[in-house]
Amino acid sequence: MNGGGQVHLGDVFTLHHRRAGIRLDFHDAGVRGVKLTDDIAVQLADRDRDELRITLAAPFEARHAGGETWPIDPAGDDERLGRIAFALRHAWLARCEADDDGTLRAVFERGLTVVAPPAPDRAAWALSHAAFELGAVPGGGLAVHQVGDAAPHAR
């Protein structure tokens, strides 16, 4: 999956390769649920039920439209996790980008932006779809695994 161009993933997602990473376009993907365990999992779907899951397993930042930034550790007992889950309830994903260094930026239409950098010792985040998985590599970097591929592609 390296190289230029775009990959259409169902009716809702299009994966575009950029010079320094990947951009995902979403046509009508809304948050259908948020699960809080040792990580935070945000389930998105379009009206035809094509689904994508964003899993955040390492510390990230939640930036609010008013300028407030919260550092969040999904494994921590943090009351802000509940606030983030509430802010994402019924939100729509406006833009999502993953840089080659392994940083994820997910911008939701209600003004919340999630910025998840890579972690030194684990996969900090993953985007999972029936056709692909995209995620941060421990220590930095980006890996793309398309269903049917033998191994992930590092970028």
Side-chain angles (χ1 to χ4, degrees):
M1 225 164 124
N2 283 332
Q6 59 187 7
V7 178
H8 295 281
L9 304 166
D11 293 331
V12 67
F13 308 114
T14 304
L15 196 77
H16 298 271
H17 291 276
R18 308 182 291 135
R19 187 172 7 150
I22 292 176
R23 183 185 84 235
L24 280 84
D25 287 339
F26 298 85
H27 308 294
D28 64 349
V31 173
R32 298 294 181 242
V34 178
K35 182 178 176 184
L36 303 174
T37 55
D38 288 339
D39 55 23
I40 181 169
V42 180
Q43 191 73 30
L44 298 144
D46 71 351
R47 63 180 161 252
D48 295 325
R49 300 199 187 272
D50 192 15
E51 295 186 355
L52 176 80
R53 181 177 56 248
I54 301 173
T55 303
L56 302 164
F60 65 93
E61 286 185 350
R63 299 176 182 170
H64 299 272
E68 189 175 1
T69 298
W70 293 347
I72 306 286
D73 185 350
D77 185 16
D78 192 337
E79 73 177 54
R80 289 180 282 193
L81 282 172
R83 289 183 181 176
I84 295 299
F86 187 75
L88 290 173
R89 186 174 163 256
H90 304 301
W92 292 86
L93 188 59
R95 188 174 78 244
C96 189
E97 297 178 343
D99 296 335
D100 279 344
D101 72 356
T103 300
L104 174 73
R105 281 178 199 75
V107 180
F108 295 88
E109 52 85 25
R110 289 187 178 175
L112 179 68
T113 299
V114 170
V115 179
D121 58 345
R122 60 187 153 172
W125 58 268
L127 297 176
S128 303
H129 180 270
F132 75 96
E133 185 162 309
L134 170 68
V137 175
L142 189 60
V144 180
H145 179 81
Q146 204 168 359
V147 171
D149 281 351
H153 302 284
R155 288 202 34 109

